[in-house]
Amino acid sequence: MAQIGGVNKINRTGETQKSGKADNAQGASFSSALKGASEATSTSDVSKSERAARVEELKAQVANGTYEPELDKVASSLLKFLVEGR
């Protein structure tokens, strides 16, 4: 059977040896992707805590009767709901 592509070197246990060049490039991009995901998670944690604080504030307003929704936003949302049929 003819071999296609470059010659693979085989070590003593019969496993194919890989060149380190491609692995290092992939490892670097994977590492930067993990770093980006970690930063997104920390940003997400901040926004979750801000959201939780806002929800608690709104709950308190509803409980004591001072909550006043923005009627334009409510009406717009209702119209979208009715038009889209959700």
Side-chain angles (χ1 to χ4, degrees):
M1 187 181 270
Q3 183 176 358
I4 299 174
V7 176
N8 287 330
K9 296 180 182 179
I10 300 179
N11 63 15
R12 292 182 187 214
T13 60
E15 297 174 357
T16 303
Q17 294 176 350
K18 296 180 182 177
S19 128
K21 293 179 184 177
D23 290 342
N24 289 340
Q26 288 175 348
S29 65
F30 184 70
S31 175
S32 62
L34 283 176
K35 181 180 177 184
S38 175
E39 290 171 357
T41 301
S42 65
T43 302
S44 176
D45 290 342
V46 170
S47 64
K48 283 182 184 179
S49 64
E50 289 174 355
R51 180 178 171 86
R54 178 68 176 143
V55 168
E56 289 303 316
E57 179 184 334
L58 291 172
K59 283 181 180 181
Q61 288 178 6
V62 169
N64 66 23
T66 60
Y67 176 68
E68 294 181 19
E70 295 180 38
L71 297 180
D72 290 341
K73 287 185 178 181
V74 173
S76 176
S77 180
L78 285 173
L79 286 173
K80 286 180 186 178
F81 178 79
L82 293 172
V83 170
E84 293 176 2
R86 290 185 182 183

